[in-house]
Amino acid sequence: MSNSFVGSFWDRVTYKTEQFWNGRLYFPVMLAAAAVSMLSGNVVPSTVLLAVLCGWMLVFCRDILAAALPFLLIFLLSTLQYTSLSVFLPCAPLAVLPIGGLLVHLFHWKKPVVAGKSAVGLAAVAAATVLGGVGAISAGEYFAPLSLYYILGLGPGLLVTYLLLRSELEMPHSYDLMDRLMQMLYTIGLAMVLAIACFYAENWAAFADNWEIPCIPYRNFAATILVSTLPAVFSLVRRSRWYLAAVLLWGAALFFSGSRTALLFGAVMMLLGMLYLLRRRVLPFWAFFAALATAAVAALLLGHQIQEIFLGGRGEPDVFIGPHEPRWALLARSWDDFRQHPLFGIGLGSQKNTDLFKGIPGSMVFYHNAPAQILGSMGLAGVAAYGLLLANRIRLLLRGGEACILVGMYYTGMLLVSMTNPGLFCPLPNAALTVLVFSVLEKCVGDPACPPGKAKL
């Protein structure tokens, strides 16, 4: 009787949880959970809520994607205390919820291990990250906790994440996987838009005092999230033209983030998104050219004022990219590190270049450029591994179809921001989110019910 009651209770809770996951309230609730801290400026409430939701969905929902969104949203809360992430330490015990939930999930919802086309590339990357710095980095630097976080998080951790997701995605789904993925990306991006809005609400007096964009500590992290999630907004415009208002929100957030990466690559993604809508006949030709003409006229007539607002608070307000910025020196240093250690580089955990970049507590010494990071940190082993992974992903994207176009736009955005910022070398959420995106694409392309040449959105 007792076992029967427990089983019946479990089944009822599971049923209600999966109803919630497949219902209209799921995404608003997740966004609201993140918004609590952003509106209050206190990281604890949302961290607790999202950790509980993540653990709950892992235990009571057979679909692991239901737990992915609250887990990823936790890392967006770092925007609240970007230069002092130690405020999250009291929340560290909450890690038992997603970890424990995952163990229960794997035990209760047993699924066979599946390795798709990305497995070989990710395994090669895992080997490159682990071997990075061999013969160059000291044991103390290699085994430092922060170093291990990046070595394992960008290598073996991503491989394990991929195998887990790819295996879980083999289960039947009652919904369109790509559509659900776009909704997840949209919610993540909208949370970042809210973070930017909350920053200005709190610092409005400083902004209104001289009408110069203040220095937002997390502006480049915001740029990464906003640029990479922008394609999801354009995908949802096909569902309803009301989402064009969200395009304007993303555009405003990109500009007012104060990130040059956001301004430069955000414009590129805006153009790609407009071309996407034009190709899908959602946007008429006249509207496309009217938007381009409006942007060109605004740049010509208000270019100087726009530059003053955007760069007025910088050290070199008359120069978009200064010739003496540390990024140029980091590129040169990457080449020097590669020449001195061509096979395995100096390692992801090396502190050799702290004279050029110290970053915030919790960050490694980034070169701020993906090819430079691979060359300097992992040498030829990294070039071969990441080249293989990139080739596998491009082959997958060239299969064609709606899913490949949308993921290709997402990946383009993530690669672009990785040219000037950590981007894909940030394990959470960026690298893990990209693995999730390609895991879903592999399933969509390989699913006979969703052939790559047909659009389901």
Side-chain angles (χ1 to χ4, degrees), residues 390 392-401 403-409 411-412 438 441 445:
L390 180 63
N392 288 342
R393 286 175 170 174
I394 290 176
R395 278 198 294 268
L396 184 62
L397 292 171
L398 290 178
R399 292 285 297 276
C404 293
I405 291 172
L406 292 173
V407 171
M409 290 172 65
Y411 196 43
T412 297
F438 275 95
L441 180 62
V445 168

Side-chain angles (χ1 to χ4, degrees), residues 124-178:
V125 168
T129 60
V130 171
L131 293 173
V134 169
I137 191 174
S138 68
E141 285 181 324
Y142 187 94
F143 291 104
L146 183 62
S147 176
L148 290 176
Y149 167 70
Y150 282 98
I151 291 170
L152 299 178
L154 291 171
L158 291 185
L159 177 60
V160 171
T161 299
Y162 167 76
L163 293 174
L164 173 63
L165 290 170
R166 194 65 188 82
S167 303
E168 292 280 337
L169 286 170
E170 283 301 299
M171 61 168 283
H173 295 87
S174 61
Y175 56 82
D176 184 331
L177 260 177
M178 188 54 55

Side-chain angles (χ1 to χ4, degrees), residues 239-318:
R239 177 189 299 178
S240 170
R241 285 185 172 84
W242 285 107
Y243 282 101
L244 286 171
V247 174
L248 297 178
L249 276 179
W250 256 251
L254 284 163
F255 179 81
F256 287 103
S257 69
S259 167
R260 290 168 295 178
T261 294
L263 192 64
L264 182 62
F265 298 134
V268 173
M269 295 307 296
M270 280 285 183
L271 179 60
L272 288 178
M274 298 287 277
L275 290 172
Y276 167 78
L277 295 181
L278 188 64
R279 180 184 177 185
R280 295 302 180 207
R281 299 180 181 178
V282 177
L283 192 70
F285 274 100
W286 67 264
F288 173 72
F289 289 111
L292 285 182
T294 301
V297 170
L300 287 173
L301 297 179
L302 304 172
H304 181 68
Q305 290 86 342
I306 292 173
Q307 180 173 304
E308 283 190 339
I309 292 173
F310 189 80
L311 294 174
R314 303 292 177 88
E316 298 179 81
D318 296 326

Side-chain angles (χ1 to χ4, degrees), residues 26-52:
Y26 174 81
F27 290 103
V29 167
M30 295 301 163
L31 181 61
V36 171
S37 283
M38 291 180 179
L39 294 171
S40 65
N42 185 347
V43 300
V44 175
S46 289
T47 305
V48 173
L49 283 171
L50 291 169
V52 169

Side-chain angles (χ1 to χ4, degrees), residues 117 396 399-400 403-404 440-448 450-452:
K117 297 182 181 301
L396 184 62
R399 292 285 297 276
C404 293
V440 171
L441 180 62
E442 278 190 13
K443 173 61 179 175
C444 289
V445 168
D447 189 349
C450 181

